[in-house]
């Protein structure tokens, strides 16, 4: 005798199937929602909460060295972004085949290979910016933000999420580079997008904007100490915004008063 | 008393041999375990080595492939960059030859370093119009300042451009054309004599301006340009008779040399310069 209870009629079977389908659909919806939430969290982490430049303070050497102009900053930012996406995706794709003991040298190999490829491509298709960035292009290999993401996230997550994490972290880093470049170029030279033709070709010469006429360059903004000061201001600004948001949340929760109706009727 | 033998050792005899046996067994087990551990370690190490080697090969292949794909484009970009620089110091309408592939190599202390320097020759209908020489000003504030200068047939300067420097941004970097037009002040200037005192910065009673807050950089460039101009004026005859050392001509030369399988002695620089 079987323990299974046979359905009374075909209606019961249909109902059971419908319930299964609904459950499956609900699960799918939940999975999609979870994935969306994860992507949103990755974006927030990369761009704001865990920004490689502002919060983790990684890759400060190129961050401070090449941000004297927006063009240089953008060039290095795009190169780093490309390396981050590619290395994260590759590390994630091979994560099951790499033994724990040798994961770091393998990650370094992968990153170095991608950096060299990016360097060759920039040499071929953006020769001006390649010359302008000089040693800081191959130095991307030593950027802790890249190996850090490979180790902390990419080696433990699927390819899509890892690539997206790379994109967001890279964007976060590039945005800080460009912001620093804007501040330093305006204060130091009174221009914006000076030498844009080095990155985008001759047509980009028209992008150059004379923001203000300076009789002589403001040296502090151009030299590395100026980069440190500007970076400090950006970090302070981010912390101030974070504190403001935090305080606002506290005030909002305090303002929520529960109303209770008391009925004295027996 | 002495005849009596203590029976205890006899009783203990078999237990002693048992202890030895068990000790041997324990040692054997330990050795086996060590062997197993060692072999496991060896296997793990060799496996990891293979994986690492595999990734190294894969990465090398990837880089090699990209290098191969971009090789021609890089060459083209470098050639374009060189032509752009040459065009900025010698008007393209003044010559009709392939200037980037018409050059000579030279080495002299007057050119700032002991490295080989290149001189690109501009010709119109076979006649030399101007020569663009790469040179170095070694006394920059932060080291060498590499530049290229074009000298007209009459000994006047056609143009100067700084190629590479490590001078202080905002101060010494005014030697770059995109930062300041100071470098154009050499255009049309001539040396009246090898020790022409006018070829100095205004602080040294010369005819070239210095930068606000920076005298060392312009002084170094003026000295470098003067020295290069002196060298060219002195050795012009011997320099222009040298064989082509660039581009297709150089390729043809190397092909001929390899087909003949002969080694030619290097040119005697000193002899050429006398």
């Amino acid at each position: 005798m079987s323990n299974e209870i046979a359905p009374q009629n075909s209606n019961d079977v249909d109902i059971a199937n419908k319930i299964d389908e609904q459950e499956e659909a609900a699960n799918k919806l939940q999975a999609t929602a979870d994935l969306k939430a994860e992507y949103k969290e990755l974006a927030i982490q990369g761009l704001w909460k865990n920004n490689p430049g502002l919060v983790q303070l990684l890759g400060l050497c190129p961050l401070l060295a090449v941000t004297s102009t927006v063009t240089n900053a953008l060039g290095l930012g795009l190169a780093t972004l490309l390396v981050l996406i590619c290395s994260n995706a590759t590390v994630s794709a091979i994560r099951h085949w790499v033994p724990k003991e040798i994961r770091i040298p393998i990650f370094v190999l992968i990153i170095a290979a991608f950096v060299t490829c990016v360097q060759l491509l920039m040499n071929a298709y953006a020769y001006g910016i390649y010359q302008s960035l000089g040693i800081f292009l191959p130095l991307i290999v030593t950027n802790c933000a890249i190996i850090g993401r490979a180790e902390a996230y990419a080696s433990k997550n699927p390819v899509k999420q890892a690539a997206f994490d790379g994109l967001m972290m890279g964007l976060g880093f590039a945005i800080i580079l460009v912001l620093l470049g804007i501040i330093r170029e305006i204060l130091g030279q009174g221009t914006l997008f000076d030498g844009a033709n080095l990155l985008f070709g001759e047509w980009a010469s028209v992008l150059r904007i004379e923001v203000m006429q300076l009789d002589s360059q403001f040296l502090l903004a151009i030299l590395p100490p100026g980069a440190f000061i500007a970076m400090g201001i950006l970090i302070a600004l981010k912390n101030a915004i974070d504190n403001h948001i935090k305080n606002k949340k506290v005030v909002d929760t305090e303002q929520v008063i529960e109303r209770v109706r008391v009925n004295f009727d027996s | 008393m002495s005849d009596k033998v203590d029976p205890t050792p006899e009783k203990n005899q078999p237990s002693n041999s048992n202890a030895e046996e068990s000790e041997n067994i324990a040692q054997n087990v330990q050795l086996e375990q060590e062997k197993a551990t060692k072999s496991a370690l060896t296997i793990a190490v060799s496996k990891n080595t293979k994986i690492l080697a595999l990734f190294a090969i894969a990465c090398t292949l990837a880089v090699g492939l990209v290098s191969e794909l971009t090789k021609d484009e890089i060459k083209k970009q470098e050639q374009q960059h060189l032509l752009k620089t040459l065009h900025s110091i010698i008007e393209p309408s003044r010559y009709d030859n392939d200037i980037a592939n018409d050059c000579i190599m030279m080495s002299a202390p007057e050119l700032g370093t002991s490295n080989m320097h290149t001189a690109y020759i501009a010709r119109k209908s076979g006649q030399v119009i101007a020569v663009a020489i790469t040179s170095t000003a070694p006394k920059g504030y932060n080291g060498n300042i590499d530049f290229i200068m074009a000298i007209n047939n009459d000994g006047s300067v056609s143009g100067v451009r700084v190629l590479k420097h490590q001078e202080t941004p905002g101060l010494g970097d005014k030697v770059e054309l995109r930062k300041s037009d100071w470098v154009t002040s050499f255009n049309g200037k001539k040396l009246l004599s090898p020790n022409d005192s006018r070829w100095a910065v205004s602080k040294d009673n010369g005819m070239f301006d210095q930068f606000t807050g920076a005298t060392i950089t312009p002084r170094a460039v003026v000295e470098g340009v003067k020295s290069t101009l002196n060298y060219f004026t002195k050795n012009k005859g011997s320099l222009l008779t040298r064989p082509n050392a660039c581009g297709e001509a150089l390729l043809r030369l190397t092909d001929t040399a390899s087909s003949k399988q002969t080694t030619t002695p290097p040119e005697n620089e000193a002899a050429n310069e006398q």
Side-chain angles (χ1 to χ4, degrees):
Chain A
M1 283 286 288
S2 171
N3 289 338
E4 283 180 23
I5 299 160
Q8 297 299 313
N9 51 38
S10 59
N11 272 1
D12 290 354
V13 175
D14 289 344
I15 290 162
N17 285 345
K18 272 181 186 174
I19 290 165
D20 286 347
E21 279 170 21
Q22 281 171 351
E23 273 181 15
E24 210 173 293
N27 288 342
K28 269 186 186 175
L29 277 170
Q30 186 59 45
T32 311
D34 288 347
L35 202 61
K36 272 185 183 174
E38 191 177 347
Y39 280 129
K40 190 182 176 184
E41 184 56 29
L42 284 174
I44 293 165
Q45 287 287 334
L47 297 172
W48 189 258
K49 280 186 188 173
N50 204 16
N51 187 295
L54 284 183
V55 181
Q56 298 179 66
L57 300 179
L58 297 173
L60 286 185
C61 172
L63 192 81
L64 301 170
V66 302
T67 52
S68 52
T69 66
V70 178
T71 308
N72 279 3
L74 194 59
L76 190 80
L78 291 173
T80 309
L81 172 71
L82 198 61
V83 171
L84 256 167
I85 294 168
C86 296
S87 63
N88 265 20
T90 310
V91 165
S92 175
I94 60 152
R95 69 189 189 278
H96 299 303
W97 296 290
V98 176
K100 238 186 358 217
E101 301 82 15
I102 55 163
R103 68 190 191 285
I104 301 297
I106 283 176
F107 295 168
V108 172
L109 261 175
I110 290 162
I111 293 162
F114 279 119
V115 170
T116 312
C117 291
V118 167
Q119 201 182 336
L120 287 165
L121 289 166
M122 282 185 98
N123 193 352
Y125 302 105
Y127 190 74
I129 202 78
Y130 166 78
Q131 280 198 314
S132 196
L133 292 174
I135 190 67
F136 294 102
L137 206 50
L139 270 179
I140 294 171
V141 176
T142 64
N143 192 336
C144 294
I146 299 169
I147 189 106
R149 288 327 288 169
E151 169 65 10
Y153 191 87
S155 61
K156 299 175 181 76
N157 289 280
V159 178
K160 274 186 186 175
Q161 281 97 308
F164 188 76
D165 175 69
L167 173 71
M168 286 305 144
M169 285 287 166
L171 269 177
F173 189 68
I175 287 165
I176 297 307
L177 279 167
V178 171
L179 268 175
L180 264 177
I182 289 168
I183 295 165
R184 290 178 69 193
E185 192 179 341
I186 290 173
L187 292 178
Q189 295 172 210
T191 61
L192 255 184
F193 293 104
D194 181 36
N197 56 311
L198 298 176
L199 185 59
F200 302 112
E202 286 308 314
W203 68 269
S205 301
V206 296
L207 294 175
R208 189 182 185 276
I209 305 162
E210 193 85 37
V211 179
M212 53 185 176
Q213 194 66 48
L214 296 176
D215 294 329
S216 62
Q217 293 177 320
F218 178 41
L219 277 181
L220 183 64
I222 296 167
L223 295 171
F228 267 103
I229 294 164
M231 187 65 183
I233 290 165
L234 284 179
I235 294 165
L237 200 68
K238 189 220 179 269
N239 291 345
I241 293 165
D242 279 345
N243 285 338
H244 178 71
I245 292 164
K246 198 178 172 183
N247 293 339
K248 203 178 175 190
K249 272 184 184 173
V250 170
V251 170
D252 287 348
T253 50
E254 279 174 2
Q255 279 176 352
V256 175
I257 301 160
E258 283 188 21
R259 291 185 178 185
V260 182
R261 177 177 284 177
V262 182
N263 195 351
F264 292 104
D265 296 339
S266 52
Chain B
M1 287 284 279
S2 60
D3 293 341
K4 275 190 179 178
V5 182
D6 190 14
T8 331
E10 278 178 25
K11 277 181 187 174
N12 284 350
Q13 210 75 42
S15 65
N16 264 354
S17 63
N18 281 348
E20 273 175 32
E21 220 171 284
S22 60
E23 208 174 289
N24 285 342
I25 290 164
Q27 276 180 346
N28 287 342
V29 168
Q30 204 176 332
L31 281 169
E32 290 288 320
Q33 280 176 342
E34 276 176 21
K35 269 185 189 174
T37 311
K38 273 183 185 174
S39 65
L41 190 68
T42 311
I43 290 162
V45 167
S46 71
K47 184 194 169 193
N48 287 352
T49 307
K50 281 171 190 169
I51 292 169
L52 204 53
L54 200 71
F55 274 101
I57 291 162
C59 289
T60 308
L61 284 172
V63 171
L65 181 70
V66 175
S67 176
E68 198 58 40
L69 291 171
T70 54
K71 189 174 65 180
D72 296 334
E73 191 61 37
I74 288 169
K75 207 174 180 182
K76 196 174 102 182
Q77 286 276 6
E78 283 169 355
Q79 194 85 334
Q80 277 179 353
H81 185 73
L82 172 65
L83 276 172
K84 198 176 169 185
T85 308
L86 291 170
H87 288 170
S88 70
I89 53 175
I90 308 170
E91 195 62 45
S93 57
R94 290 180 61 202
Y95 60 89
D96 56 15
N97 67 319
D98 181 6
I99 190 169
N101 288 317
D102 191 348
C103 77
I104 52 171
M105 304 296 282
M106 57 206 163
S107 175
E110 291 98 318
L111 299 176
T113 61
S114 56
N115 300 340
M116 289 300 279
H117 292 269
T118 314
Y120 299 93
I121 303 164
R123 304 175 199 266
K124 185 101 171 180
S125 311
Q127 294 296 308
V128 176
I129 299 297
V131 177
I133 304 173
T134 59
S135 187
T136 304
K139 294 178 185 173
Y141 186 72
N142 286 326
N144 289 352
I145 300 168
D146 294 336
F147 64 91
I148 187 166
M149 69 175 292
I151 305 160
N152 294 321
N153 216 8
D154 63 353
S156 63
V157 176
S158 173
V160 178
R161 291 292 179 274
V162 169
L163 301 172
K164 192 180 169 194
H165 71 88
Q166 287 104 37
E167 301 304 283
T168 313
L171 290 172
D173 68 347
K174 288 193 182 95
V175 291
E176 288 179 46
L177 185 65
R178 67 189 193 99
K179 295 284 167 80
S180 151
D181 61 357
W182 176 83
V183 82
T184 60
S185 61
F186 290 102
N187 296 4
K189 300 283 194 298
K190 266 185 181 179
L191 271 174
L192 298 180
S193 67
N195 297 317
D196 193 341
S197 60
R198 300 173 311 134
W199 278 72
V201 292
S202 49
K203 196 177 183 178
D204 304 331
N205 304 315
M207 61 177 169
F208 297 99
D209 290 334
Q210 65 237 5
F211 310 143
T212 310
T215 315
I216 296 168
T217 306
R219 186 184 282 145
V221 175
V222 171
E223 278 180 26
V225 171
K226 182 184 178 182
S227 177
T228 307
L229 194 52
N230 252 326
Y231 169 76
F232 179 74
T233 312
K234 254 194 286 180
N235 303 287
K236 186 180 169 183
S238 64
L239 287 173
L240 296 177
T241 55
R242 290 191 188 185
N244 192 353
C246 271
E248 289 156 25
L250 182 66
L251 283 172
R252 278 201 297 275
L253 279 170
T254 49
D255 286 347
T256 330
S258 60
S259 63
K260 285 179 184 174
Q261 287 186 334
T262 55
T263 52
T264 51
E267 272 190 277
N268 188 339
E269 288 284 339
N272 279 322
E273 280 160 27
Q274 279 167 4

